[in-house]
């Protein structure tokens, strides 16, 4: 008899792979923009009023929402794969992944609230 | 059940010690390392935006921090990780759709991506510190 190696449904692996790539494509477009914004603030090309004007714009709120969703999906899937590689004891692995999921969803929701709240 | 399940003594996944170092392998490991480094980008970016959207005093304080040594180092670190993970991420996606799958192409593209990251690290250092 073979022992079960991994918990979870057999089809879960493909959808993880797919979500990792879908979120990667979104991030490839949006993440450089956010880093550029930081550099523009750093260099003084944008002052506080300019930054607020950018962040206020509805396009920026929508793009930030997409960015956050993609970040959470991508970072969760990525870190999950890494934990599955290095943490072999299921008694550790499963609570670790669960804690990560809870922390990241909370963080993501908090961030979304901030994005739609700033005036 | 005759076999004793050797539960906790399986080798760790990337068995680095048994391989010869090659550019594609380095590129894969660096992808994982830069992915973990980029996780730091998330709270950093949120924290910066948070500070910069409140009072003008708060904005100035955040900007002052950005220009301090820890601030510049964070920007440099996150920037290099981003450029690397971005370039190699696109390389991985292209390989996934079947482009450049030959051993020779994989090696060449790995070298290109590593070179881009090295260039970016110099460029960011010049941009931030000089
Ligand atoms: C710039 C846009 C990005 C692109 C194009 C991208 C692309 C990718 C791709 C294609 C993979 C799958 C690699 C594989 O399965 O071997 C991956 C893995 C990963 N990414 Fe990203 N990524 C991006 C941004 C990010 C960000 C911002 C983070 C962190 C919050 C991140 C963290 C990770 C992690 C932890 C992994 C798992 C690494 C591993 O399994 O070894 N990535 N990325």
């Amino acid at each position: 008899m073979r022992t079960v190696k991994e918990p979870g449904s057999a089809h879960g692996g493909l959808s993880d792979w797919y979500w990792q790539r879908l979120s990667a494509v979104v991030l490839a477009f949006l993440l450089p923009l956010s880093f550029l914004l930081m550099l523009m603030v750093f260099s003084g090309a944008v002052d506080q009023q300019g930054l607020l004007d950018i962040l206020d714009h509805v396009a920026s709120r929508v793009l930030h929402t997409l960015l956050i969703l993609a970040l959470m999906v991508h970072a969760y899937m990525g870190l999950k794969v890494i934990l599955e590689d290095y943490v072999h004891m299921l008694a550790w692995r499963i609570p670790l992944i669960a804690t990560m999921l809870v922390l990241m969803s909370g963080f993501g929701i908090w961030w979304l609230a901030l994005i739609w709240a700033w005036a | 059940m005759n076999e004793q399940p050797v539960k906790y003594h399986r080798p760790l996944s990337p068995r680095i010690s048994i391989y010869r170092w090659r550019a594609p392998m380095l590129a894969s490991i660096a992808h994982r390392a830069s992915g973990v480094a980029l996780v730091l980008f998330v709270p950093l970016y949120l924290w910066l935006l948070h500070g910069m959207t409140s009072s003008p005093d708060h904005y100035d304080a955040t900007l002052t921090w950005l220009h301090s040594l820890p601030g510049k180092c964070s920007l440099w670190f996150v920037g290099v990780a981003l450029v690397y993970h971005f370039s190699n991420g696109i390389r991985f996606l292209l390989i996934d759709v079947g482009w450049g799958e030959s051993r020779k192409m994989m090696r060449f593209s790995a070298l290109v991506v590593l070179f881009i990251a090295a260039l970016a690290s110099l460029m960011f250092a010049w941009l931030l510190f000089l």
Side-chain angles (χ1 to χ4, degrees):
Chain A
M1 192 185 130
R2 287 187 50 181
T3 46
V4 176
K5 278 197 187 142
E6 304 285 333
S9 59
H11 60 257
L14 179 64
S15 71
D16 277 15
W17 184 91
Y18 175 76
W19 280 103
Q20 182 82 30
R21 270 135 196 91
L22 184 66
S23 56
V25 173
V26 175
L27 287 178
F29 285 100
L30 297 183
L31 205 63
L33 289 179
S34 65
F35 187 69
L36 216 63
L37 188 61
M38 291 291 95
L39 284 184
M40 275 156 63
V41 170
F42 175 87
S43 73
V46 171
D47 60 3
Q48 185 173 24
Q49 196 50 52
L51 182 69
L52 288 177
D53 286 344
I54 295 173
L55 295 176
D56 257 352
H57 200 281
V58 66
S60 148
R61 292 186 208 238
V62 170
L63 290 181
H64 265 110
T65 304
L66 289 175
L67 172 68
I68 293 161
L69 293 177
L71 272 177
M72 293 305 136
V73 168
H74 192 84
Y76 171 69
M77 295 296 172
L79 291 176
K80 181 165 165 278
V81 170
I82 296 180
L83 285 177
E84 284 168 350
D85 273 351
Y86 298 120
V87 182
H88 290 229
M89 276 205 262
L90 293 184
W92 276 105
R93 184 201 287 178
I94 292 171
L96 272 176
I97 293 179
T99 309
M100 189 173 83
L101 182 60
V102 170
L103 286 180
M104 285 176 56
S105 339
F107 192 78
I109 292 168
W110 178 46
W111 195 355
L112 283 175
L114 277 180
I115 297 244
W116 289 96
W118 59 47
Chain B
M1 239 175 79
N2 303 322
E3 277 178 80
Q4 228 10 59
V6 221
K7 261 196 202 148
Y8 306 135
H9 303 291
R10 286 185 285 143
L12 292 180
S13 185
R15 298 185 65 187
I16 295 169
S17 51
I18 64 170
Y19 293 113
R20 266 180 67 193
W21 282 92
R22 295 266 182 207
M25 184 169 77
L26 184 61
S28 286
I29 292 172
H31 194 75
R32 176 160 284 191
S34 60
V36 174
L38 275 176
V39 173
L40 295 177
F41 177 86
V42 182
L44 178 72
Y45 184 62
L46 176 61
W47 181 69
L48 288 175
L49 284 186
H50 188 58
M52 291 179 160
T53 46
S54 46
S55 69
D57 280 352
H58 218 113
Y59 181 87
D60 290 338
T62 313
L63 200 58
T64 308
W65 181 83
L66 262 190
H67 282 269
S68 72
L69 191 63
K72 285 180 176 179
C73 288
S74 309
L75 275 182
W76 183 85
F77 188 67
V78 160
V80 174
L82 174 65
V83 168
Y84 180 77
H85 198 89
F86 175 85
S87 323
N88 194 61
I90 289 173
R91 169 176 174 263
F92 274 177
L93 291 174
L94 289 175
I95 292 172
D96 281 340
V97 297
W99 187 86
E101 272 186 311
S102 75
R103 184 179 288 218
K104 224 175 131 188
M105 253 331 265
M106 295 258 275
R107 187 176 143 72
F108 176 68
S109 55
L111 286 172
V112 169
V113 158
L114 291 167
F115 178 73
I116 292 176
L119 212 64
S121 71
L122 292 177
M123 201 192 78
F124 283 136
W126 181 69
L127 214 76
L128 293 169
F129 292 101
L130 295 183

